[in-house]
Amino acid sequence: MRATVSLRNAARTPLIRFVGRRSIPQSVDHSPRPHPASPTGVLPDSFAAYRAKAQQHGPLGRASFSQGSIGRSPGASLGSIQPQQGVFFDRTDLPTRFHRLPYSEAEIEAIETGGASLYI
């Protein structure tokens, strides 16, 4: 028996039924307007004005990317790179009780076999 052939020959009826005729709106307002959750509720004057004030990982204005602005001041002027008291950059800088525990041979074997060695 070929069930797939008989299924292909059967008339397909959609599961969704729409009520009424399809109607396209005659007038749709596509004018720009601020997002309902906008903090100011107003549109910016222009994209350039928005970009001059926007922040994303630092200022987005052209002045920060213009020729000569990068590397204008030495890195030492940015401040110390030593962490503050109580701040650690790496886990190995913490006390030994917070270090990662070494894996045992049984754990390594279980990881390499996907856990199958635990049931042998």
Side-chain angles (χ1 to χ4, degrees), residues 12-94:
R12 183 185 170 278
T13 58
L15 297 175
I16 299 174
R17 294 198 178 167
F18 296 98
V19 179
R21 296 186 54 145
R22 182 183 305 185
S23 62
I24 299 172
Q26 297 299 322
S27 62
V28 178
D29 183 20
H30 289 290
S31 62
R33 56 183 173 268
H35 191 275
S38 171
T40 59
V42 296
L43 288 172
D45 298 333
S46 67
F47 183 71
Y50 159 76
R51 191 168 170 88
K53 293 184 285 186
Q55 291 277 335
Q56 178 182 358
H57 312 297
L60 291 176
R62 287 187 181 260
S64 63
F65 297 112
S66 64
Q67 187 67 14
S69 65
I70 296 176
R72 184 180 301 166
S73 58
S77 68
L78 298 175
S80 173
I81 60 169
Q82 296 301 321
Q84 299 172 358
Q85 181 68 26
V87 176
F88 299 95
F89 289 150
D90 191 32
R91 195 177 210 159
T92 57
D93 297 336
L94 293 169

